[in-house]
Amino acid sequence: MKKLDTRSVTELGLLVAVEIVLSRFCSINAWDLKIGFSFLPVAVAAMRLGPLEAAVVAAVSDFVGAVLFPIGAYFPGFTLTAFLSGLVFGWLLHRRRAAGRVLAAVLLHQLVLGLLINSFWISVLYSAPYLPLLGTRVLQCAVLAPVEFLTIGALARILKRFGKRAMA
């Protein structure tokens, strides 16, 4: 993690706040389903600041959001998955944002982290059978994967216009 200046810390704090609002108040939430745009602040942190910073935004916002505005019981597995999501977005989107890299980030985020790992955490937390749970959560991935791909691609083009700091 590079040395953080006041501007970067402020940006991280704002992204955490926006992620909490999008995740807790502007998403469709059920015990086994979550559809929303809470990935956007993490993607912005990944593109602007890097992998570790994006992972911190994702993990801190998951933890703080769960403590301040609980949807269910807090489970650290979801925070770990959020951290890994930030790393994936950061590693794939920080320096280069070609369509193939955006697609790889979205597929890893949705299929591996969202579908497989988060479904496992849900099955552990609620004692639900894993394989039937995967069937219900495929809908979430089918809806969110194209939405993520299109919005992150558009966001990358928008951030490119804002100068060298956005390109870092």
Side-chain angles (χ1 to χ4, degrees), residues 83-153:
F83 183 85
L84 293 173
S85 295
L87 285 179
V88 164
F89 281 138
W91 282 330
L92 289 169
L93 302 176
H94 181 53
R95 298 271 179 221
R96 294 179 301 212
R97 299 172 193 143
R101 294 176 77 84
V102 173
L103 181 62
V106 167
L107 290 178
L108 282 171
H109 178 244
Q110 282 300 313
L111 297 179
V112 176
L113 298 172
L115 183 62
L116 299 178
I117 295 177
N118 273 349
S119 295
F120 175 73
W121 297 138
I122 292 169
S123 73
V124 168
L125 185 62
Y126 294 105
S127 299
Y130 182 69
L131 290 177
L133 183 61
L134 282 178
T136 63
R137 290 181 47 82
V138 165
L139 172 67
Q140 173 181 314
C141 289
V143 169
L144 279 179
V147 170
E148 274 191 28
F149 178 74
L150 293 172
T151 54
I152 291 173

Side-chain angles (χ1 to χ4, degrees), residues 3-125:
K3 185 177 178 182
L4 292 175
D5 57 0
T6 305
R7 180 183 176 126
S8 296
V9 171
T10 304
E11 189 171 353
L12 288 172
L14 287 171
L15 290 170
V16 166
V18 170
E19 200 281 340
I20 290 170
V21 169
L22 289 175
S23 176
R24 303 296 167 166
F25 302 111
C26 301
S27 296
I28 298 169
N29 292 305
W31 72 275
D32 66 338
L33 184 71
K34 185 173 190 176
I35 296 176
F37 290 93
S38 60
F39 63 90
L40 284 175
V42 178
V44 169
M47 289 186 261
R48 289 183 49 84
L49 302 168
L52 192 53
E53 291 85 348
V56 168
V57 166
V60 168
S61 59
D62 181 77
F63 179 75
V64 171
V67 170
L68 294 178
F69 311 105
I71 295 169
Y74 173 72
F75 187 73
F78 296 121
T79 303
L80 174 64
T81 304
F83 183 85
L84 293 173
S85 295
L87 285 179
V88 164
F89 281 138
W91 282 330
L92 289 169
L93 302 176
H94 181 53
R95 298 271 179 221
R96 294 179 301 212
R97 299 172 193 143
R101 294 176 77 84
V102 173
L103 181 62
V106 167
L107 290 178
L108 282 171
H109 178 244
Q110 282 300 313
L111 297 179
V112 176
L113 298 172
L115 183 62
L116 299 178
I117 295 177
N118 273 349
S119 295
F120 175 73
W121 297 138
I122 292 169
S123 73
V124 168
L125 185 62

